[in-house]
Amino acid sequence: MTTTAVTLPPARYEFGADEFVFVEIDQAMSLEANFKAMAITSALREEGLDGIVDICPSNASYMIRVDPERLHPKELVAELQRLERSQSEVAADRTLRTRVVDVPVLYDDPWTRETVLRFRDRHQDPEATDLEYAARINGFSSVERLTEALSGAPFIVTMLGFVPGLPFSYQMVPRERQIEVPKYVRPRTDTPERSFGYGGAFAVVYPVRGAGGYQLFGIAPAPVFDAEQRLPDFASGVVFPRPGDILRYRAIDTAEYERLRSEVDAGTFRYRIREAEFRPAEFLSDPDGVNRDLLEVLYR
C-alpha cells in the first residue's frame, strides 16, 4: 500500500532575536514534512557552516541557533532557502543514516493501569481504560488488536522535547492507518517513569515521573533518560533517543519485563540497535515493504 501524496507549501522563515532562525515546513504533521525537515537539517550539518551553534529538527519544522558575529541570520536563511529548493521533491533520492532500535513495552501493565484508574474523572470515557477507549475510537475489535497494530510497524522519532529524553515518535504507516487519540480532558498530576503514552498521532516514553496528559498504554522496562549514565547506551549522553531513530515498540510479557528490569538494575541492559540506511522516497512508495526490511535488519 502506498501513502497518500502530500503537497507541501513553501516553508515559512522567522527570526528569533538575533540568534535563532525558525523554519516551518508545514502547519500539519506528516511523514513527508518530517522527512523534508530531516533532509534539510542533515544537509546543513554536512556543510559544516561556521557560526551554526545548534540544529534542532522538529515534527514539521526546525530551528537553528546561530552566532551572529560569525554568520548573519539573513545569510543563513538564504542558505536554508537554497537547501529547501534542492529538496523540492520531498527527500527524493536522499539516504539518511539512522538507528533501528528494539524498545520493549509491557502493554496493559499494573503500574500504568493503577494510574489510569486514579484519574478517570479527567478522561473522556471514565468507564473504560485508556487502551479500551483507544481501541474503540480507532475501530479495533479489541485491545489485543490495538496492541498488535502498535507493535506491528515501527515509529520514527520526529523530535525530542518538553523534558529531557522524551521522544515524540510517529508510526510509519499510511495516514489512513494512523492510530490517533486525544489527550486527557485535564492532565494527570502523576505519570510513572517509563510510561508508554499516546496523544494525537504521537507515541512517547515518559523519561521521568511527573504530570502528563497522554493516554497510557503500557510501560517500558528500560529508560530513555539516565542522568547518572549508569547504562552502557548512555555513555555519550544522558538521553538515548535521537531525532530520526526508528523505534519498534515490541510487546513483551511480564516475565521478560522483570528480566529486563533486573538487567537495568544491574547496569548491564543494552538496547538492541542496528545501524541502517533509510531512503524516505522508497518508504513513501512502499511503506510496508520498507518496514519489513527494517525489522528484518533489527532482528537478524
Side-chain angles (χ1 to χ4, degrees), residues 42-97:
S42 177
L44 185 65
R45 275 195 194 90
E46 291 172 4
E47 290 190 353
L49 289 180
D50 181 53
I52 291 180
V53 178
D54 197 11
I55 300 173
C56 182
S58 185
N59 296 325
S61 62
Y62 61 92
M63 187 163 65
I64 311 297
R65 185 177 183 184
V66 62
D67 180 348
E69 295 185 358
R70 293 154 58 199
L71 178 63
H72 196 283
K74 289 186 178 179
E75 294 176 5
L76 173 60
V77 167
E79 178 60 16
L80 295 176
Q81 289 172 329
R82 185 190 69 79
L83 290 174
E84 181 190 359
R85 289 191 296 271
S86 75
Q87 297 294 330
S88 57
E89 295 295 327
V90 178
D93 300 325
R94 185 160 188 88
T95 298
L96 300 175
R97 295 292 305 173

Side-chain angles (χ1 to χ4, degrees), residues 40-202:
I40 292 172
T41 53
S42 177
L44 185 65
R45 275 195 194 90
E46 291 172 4
E47 290 190 353
L49 289 180
D50 181 53
I52 291 180
V53 178
D54 197 11
I55 300 173
C56 182
S58 185
N59 296 325
S61 62
Y62 61 92
M63 187 163 65
I64 311 297
R65 185 177 183 184
V66 62
D67 180 348
E69 295 185 358
R70 293 154 58 199
L71 178 63
H72 196 283
K74 289 186 178 179
E75 294 176 5
L76 173 60
V77 167
E79 178 60 16
L80 295 176
Q81 289 172 329
R82 185 190 69 79
L83 290 174
E84 181 190 359
R85 289 191 296 271
S86 75
Q87 297 294 330
S88 57
E89 295 295 327
V90 178
D93 300 325
R94 185 160 188 88
T95 298
L96 300 175
R97 295 292 305 173
T98 188
R99 302 186 301 177
V100 188
V101 185
D102 177 79
V103 181
V105 173
L106 178 61
Y107 290 92
D108 198 17
D109 66 285
W111 301 279
T112 59
R113 176 180 275 267
E114 186 275 333
T115 302
V116 161
L117 295 178
R118 275 196 288 131
F119 291 98
R120 293 329 284 160
D121 62 320
R122 303 174 184 228
H123 196 271
Q124 291 85 353
D125 185 354
E127 302 304 316
T129 67
D130 292 6
L131 279 166
E132 291 166 344
Y133 171 71
R136 186 179 74 250
I137 67 172
N138 282 278
F140 291 98
S141 60
S142 65
V143 165
E144 290 72 26
R145 292 289 181 267
L146 171 63
T147 57
E148 286 172 6
L150 291 166
S151 291
F155 289 68
I156 189 164
V157 177
T158 58
M159 63 170 283
L160 302 175
F162 291 108
V163 289
L166 189 146
F168 283 86
S169 54
Y170 192 81
Q171 195 166 31
M172 296 166 59
V173 295
R175 181 166 292 191
E176 63 271 18
R177 283 161 47 192
Q178 282 287 342
I179 295 165
E180 296 186 14
V181 293
K183 293 190 282 188
Y184 273 42
V185 175
R186 290 185 295 126
R188 298 177 303 275
T189 56
D190 186 30
T191 304
E193 176 195 345
R194 295 173 284 100
S195 293
F196 178 67
Y198 215 99
F202 291 97

